[in-house]
């Protein structure tokens, strides 16, 4: 049995399967297909030719453009067919041709996309990815499985992220870059293979970080990546000097955390 709010507007040329939950003021344009285990919260809009399938929840006010497929099965050889989930937050925008898959059992069974994210045309979020808030994925960005992207990251067009990679908050990934290793918070990575070229200083300033705080991050960056020891040893050695800097501590915590991938650096990837 469908549960469709009285205020929802469903085009007669769309299919809402029995079991779907459609909230207040949802708009479903022509030629859309909403599966039986989908929940569309208040104010969600599917423009046209949109497929939302799987056990998928779409948060309030999210808009999905033509030819997007949201909640499809994971593209994984290891997927055992078990029912897994996709959860999308509030006020996201998914442009034409965006694809987002549900999780896999071995990966925890869930894909999560946070709030206020903008995914441009033909970008892809694979199984078991975890995305924060206020992320911009430009056209044709590809996230492989199990990728974690923190808040306010910008990924340039055509960039590709290797499975299990982490990208720290407010990092900037240049267009056509190959992200094979973890990218620290506030880092700026470009190229194929991707090289950590420095810090996203422009983004830090736009986010309201004051100059003294930015200078602290720049000084810490040099100590971490230009010091005599390994990156992790250098990061550990300076921790006590930066307890008053939120941004630097975010970088140090990111470096010290367990990960399946190595860290991107100014030297990694160079011949």
């Amino acid at each position: 049995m469908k549960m469709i709010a009285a205020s929802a507007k469903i085009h007669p040329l769309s299919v809402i399967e029995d079991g779907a939950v459609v909230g207040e003021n949802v708009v479903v344009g022509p030629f859309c297909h909403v599966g039986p285990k989908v929940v569309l919260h208040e104010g969600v809009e599917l423009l046209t030719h949109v497929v939302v399938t799987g056990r998928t929840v779409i948060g309030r006010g999210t808009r999905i453009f033509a030819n997007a497929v949201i909640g499809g099965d994971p593209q994984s050889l290891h997927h055992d067919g078990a029912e897994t989930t996709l959860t999308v937050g509030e006020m996201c925008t998914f442009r034409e041709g965006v694809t987002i898959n549900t999780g896999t059992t071995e990966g925890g069974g869930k894909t999560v996309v946070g709030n206020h994210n903008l995914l441009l045309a033909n970008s892809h979020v694979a199984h078991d990815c975890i995305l924060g808030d206020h992320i911009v994925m430009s056209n044709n960005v590809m996230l492989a499985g199990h990728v974690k992207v923190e808040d306010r990251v910008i990924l340039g067009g055509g960039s590709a992220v290797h499975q299990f990679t982490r990208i720290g908050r407010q990092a900037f990934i240049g267009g056509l870059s190959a992200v094979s290793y973890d990218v620290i918070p506030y880092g700026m990575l470009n190229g194929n293979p991707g090289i950590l070229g420095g810090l996203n200083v422009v983004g830090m300033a736009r986010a309201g970080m004051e100059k003294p705080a930015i200078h602290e991050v720049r000084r810490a960056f040099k100590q971490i990546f230009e010091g005599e020891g390994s990156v992790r040893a250098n990061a550990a050695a300076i921790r006590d000097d930066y307890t008053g800097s939120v941004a630097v501590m975010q970088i140090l915590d990111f470096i010290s955390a367990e990960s399946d991938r190595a860290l991107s650096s100014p030297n990694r990837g160079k011949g």
Side-chain angles (χ1 to χ4, degrees), residues 140-188:
N140 302 301
V141 169
M142 299 170 287
L143 304 185
H146 313 276
V147 166
K148 294 182 179 180
V149 183
E150 296 183 357
D151 297 349
R152 298 188 182 278
V153 168
I154 296 176
L155 297 108
S159 54
V161 184
H162 192 283
Q163 61 186 1
F164 292 100
T165 298
R166 299 177 300 145
I167 301 179
R169 65 172 290 114
Q170 217 166 305
F172 182 91
I173 308 301
L176 301 177
S177 293
V179 187
S180 299
Y181 303 107
D182 292 349
V183 181
I184 61 167
Y186 309 101
M188 179 175 288

Side-chain angles (χ1 to χ4, degrees), residues 26-237:
V26 168
V27 177
V28 178
F31 306 109
C32 295
H33 188 157
V34 177
K37 297 176 181 178
V38 170
V39 177
L40 304 179
H41 282 292
E42 178 185 358
V44 167
E45 182 177 5
L46 314 182
L47 273 74
T48 182
H49 293 86
V50 174
V51 174
V52 185
T53 186
R55 186 170 289 280
T56 296
V57 177
I58 307 293
R60 178 182 63 87
T62 290
R63 301 183 75 215
I64 306 178
F65 284 68
N67 300 312
V69 180
I70 310 300
D73 285 347
Q75 299 177 97
S76 169
L77 295 173
H78 305 292
H79 181 54
D80 58 7
E83 190 173 80
T84 55
T85 66
L86 165 64
T87 303
V88 173
E90 299 182 349
M91 308 304 290
C92 292
T93 299
F94 302 153
R95 293 303 303 254
E96 296 80 0
V98 165
T99 52
I100 308 177
N101 298 153
T102 56
T104 61
T105 302
E106 66 171 6
K110 61 182 180 180
T111 302
V112 178
V113 177
N115 306 310
H116 299 277
N117 293 313
L118 173 59
L119 277 60
L120 297 185
N122 301 308
S123 53
H124 174 67
V125 178
H127 56 86
D128 305 297
C129 287
I130 306 294
L131 276 61
D133 303 333
H134 298 281
I135 293 164
V136 177
M137 290 174 54
S138 300
N139 292 1
N140 302 301
V141 169
M142 299 170 287
L143 304 185
H146 313 276
V147 166
K148 294 182 179 180
V149 183
E150 296 183 357
D151 297 349
R152 298 188 182 278
V153 168
I154 296 176
L155 297 108
S159 54
V161 184
H162 192 283
Q163 61 186 1
F164 292 100
T165 298
R166 299 177 300 145
I167 301 179
R169 65 172 290 114
Q170 217 166 305
F172 182 91
I173 308 301
L176 301 177
S177 293
V179 187
S180 299
Y181 303 107
D182 292 349
V183 181
I184 61 167
Y186 309 101
M188 179 175 288
L189 182 138
N190 284 285
N192 184 0
I195 295 173
L196 187 68
L199 293 166
N200 183 16
V201 174
V202 172
M204 294 159 72
R206 287 177 177 171
M209 191 179 295
E210 297 183 354
K211 286 185 177 180
I214 293 174
H215 289 324
E216 271 196 313
V217 178
R218 296 176 84 167
R219 183 168 65 253
F221 181 90
K222 289 184 178 180
Q223 292 173 310
I224 292 167
F225 291 103
E226 297 178 11
E228 293 183 358
S230 69
V231 168
R232 285 186 168 81
N234 292 340

